[in-house]
Amino acid sequence: MTAKEYLSQAYKIDNDINSKLEQVASLRDLATKATSTISDMPGSPNRNIHKMEDAIVKIIALEDEINSDIHELISLKADITHMIKRVANRAERTILEKRYLCFDTWEQISVDMGYSIQHTFRLHDKALKEIDGFLKVES
């Protein structure tokens, strides 16, 4: 695994969590919709009369997955933080933290640090090479 792949894991888990949160919100909207149709026609014997219960069960299952993902993300971020703290140069550490822990864009990192985007990329590449060295030693 390269340094970039290692550091990018947190972003992917964070995106998974956000996606699942959107799904939960959608299911909550579905579960709270209550429509009634008044008709003298008999109801369909095949219709799902447990629609709300099914939605609640799915919400609970998704929330359990989200909690599991959050625990995984917290653990991974702690590992990544430990790895980043081993980088010698402070500016390089800051770039790695902003990119892989705060998920800032390259433009935002450059503006925040007062560097050109090219210089930010150079520092980032240098830091990744250092992290690659740490990962090779540990494997």
Side-chain angles (χ1 to χ4, degrees):
M1 178 181 296
T2 67
K4 193 170 188 174
E5 292 169 340
Y6 172 75
L7 296 171
S8 295
Q9 294 176 92
Y11 181 75
K12 293 174 184 173
I13 295 171
D14 190 66
N15 277 344
D16 290 345
I17 291 169
N18 289 335
S19 173
K20 288 175 185 173
L21 287 171
E22 288 175 18
Q23 292 175 42
V24 167
S26 175
L27 286 171
R28 284 184 198 275
D29 287 344
L30 181 66
T32 57
K33 287 182 182 176
T35 58
S36 60
T37 306
I38 301 174
S39 170
D40 59 354
M41 298 296 294
S44 169
N46 297 332
R47 73 184 178 119
N48 185 359
I49 58 172
H50 303 290
K51 188 176 183 179
M52 184 176 287
E53 290 94 356
D54 291 346
I56 292 170
V57 167
K58 288 178 183 175
I59 289 169
I60 292 170
L62 263 175
E63 287 176 340
D64 287 343
E65 284 181 39
I66 291 168
N67 287 332
S68 175
D69 288 349
I70 288 171
H71 290 299
E72 181 182 356
L73 180 61
I74 290 169
S75 176
L76 182 61
K77 277 190 166 189
D79 292 343
I80 290 171
T81 300
H82 177 71
M83 185 68 71
I84 290 172
K85 286 191 181 295
R86 294 173 62 186
V87 173
N89 183 290
R90 181 178 303 218
E92 292 171 10
R93 281 195 311 264
T94 302
I95 289 169
L96 293 176
E97 288 168 352
K98 287 181 164 291
R99 183 66 180 173
Y100 298 106
L101 296 174
C102 300
F103 313 125
D104 287 352
T105 64
W106 291 114
E107 294 78 13
Q108 187 62 49
I109 295 168
S110 296
V111 168
D112 288 350
M113 297 188 71
Y115 297 148
S116 70
I117 197 142
Q118 293 83 7
H119 186 62
T120 303
F121 287 150
R122 276 192 295 272
L123 291 174
H124 175 258
D125 289 343
K126 189 177 172 196
L128 285 182
K129 287 177 185 168
E130 196 170 343
I131 297 280
D132 271 329
F134 300 149
L135 290 173
K136 285 179 185 172
V137 168
E138 289 181 3
S139 33

